[in-house]
Amino acid sequence: AYDARNPRTAQRPLVTGQISLRTAWGGTLVAAALLTLAAWRLGPLPFRLLPGALLALFGYSLTKRFTWLSHFILGMTDGLAPLGAWVAVRGTLFSAADAPAWLLWLTVTLWIGGFDMIYACQDVDFDRAARLYAIPARYGVATALRVARLTHLALFIPLFLLGKVAMLGNLFTLGLVPIALLLVYEHAIVSPNDLSRVNVAFFNVNSIISIVLLSMIVLSVIVH
């Protein structure tokens, strides 16, 4: 209902009826069943953690109705991907040796939380009218962009520690430079007075960042 009232999302296939609600729910249930099967086959710990993952996946989109932390909850939910991969491979998550997984989860949380704030700047008027919780709607676009910049600055703390804890070497540390430059560019092309390039910042630049991060980790493992 909210998507239909928001001009930015009103033409999405699920809103216009190109994809039926029945089809969407069918795909969701099939995906949840496959996730359940995979967790069960991977071992006891992944299966025990499954309810929490499903709760996050089904519930994070509702958090915009009651908390301004919804941006970070989205990031925390997406950050479950590297945690899940770690558990699937190692079968552990709560020992000191599992610190790299948690550092990567925190990095993803801050990264996605920051650029979701940028993306939400497009919906300020709608979010206020619909009484949805978002930092841009509550505090204004200028403040939201400042918070997003601070959030993206903060992500370099766990990312740097990840390189040290996982002993990825100097190549990984040097690889933080292009990521920093890309984030600087991402914030430079968006301003309170010009949101025309939000999609470039949100989709294009962040896609490149993800490729750079993956590449530098793989290369660091190979070289080191």
Side-chain angles (χ1 to χ4, degrees):
Y2 283 119
D3 283 346
R5 290 160 47 192
N6 187 342
R8 185 178 60 80
T9 59
Q11 297 304 311
R12 288 181 176 177
L14 188 59
V15 178
T16 62
Q18 290 177 278
I19 297 176
S20 69
L21 191 59
R22 181 176 181 179
T23 299
W25 271 113
T28 300
L29 293 175
V30 168
L34 289 174
L35 180 61
T36 301
L37 176 62
W40 173 63
R41 293 289 294 164
L42 284 168
L45 182 58
F47 193 63
R48 287 200 301 270
L49 295 174
L50 176 65
L54 289 174
L55 178 63
L57 289 168
F58 281 107
Y60 80 87
S61 61
L62 301 177
T63 60
K64 200 171 181 180
R65 301 189 183 194
F66 59 84
T67 177
W68 297 310
L69 295 175
S70 55
H71 311 286
F72 296 103
I73 294 173
L74 170 62
M76 291 167 61
T77 301
D78 285 353
L80 293 178
L83 279 185
W86 183 275
V87 174
V89 173
R90 297 178 63 99
T92 62
L93 190 60
F94 302 108
S95 69
D98 299 316
W102 290 104
L103 289 168
L104 189 54
W105 169 79
L106 182 55
T107 299
V108 173
T109 297
L110 295 171
W111 174 39
I112 292 181
F115 71 66
D116 188 63
M117 270 182 262
I118 298 174
Y119 196 65
C121 289
Q122 303 173 100
D123 296 332
V124 168
D125 293 336
F126 173 77
D127 286 348
R128 286 172 177 168
R131 296 184 179 180
L132 295 177
Y133 287 75
I135 288 176
R138 174 62 179 84
Y139 298 102
V141 172
T143 298
L145 293 178
R146 284 194 292 269
V147 174
R149 286 194 290 269
L150 290 174
T151 301
H152 282 161
L153 181 62
L155 73 81
F156 285 95
I157 298 174
L159 195 55
F160 177 79
L161 291 174
L162 171 65
K164 297 303 179 183
V165 170
M167 295 182 290
L168 294 174
N170 293 329
L171 181 60
F172 177 87
T173 304
L174 289 174
L176 300 182
V177 175
I179 291 179
L181 293 175
L182 285 165
L183 285 172
V184 168
Y185 175 71
E186 176 177 313
H187 287 276
I189 63 176
V190 179
S191 72
N193 300 318
D194 184 6
L195 299 176
S196 62
R197 303 185 73 184
V198 164
N199 283 338
V200 175
F202 185 81
F203 294 107
N204 300 44
V205 179
N206 285 302
S207 296
I208 297 172
I209 289 173
S210 65
I211 294 171
V212 171
L213 178 58
L214 173 63
S215 300
M216 72 188 214
I217 290 177
V218 171
L219 287 173
S220 296
V221 171
I222 293 173
V223 173
H224 193 65

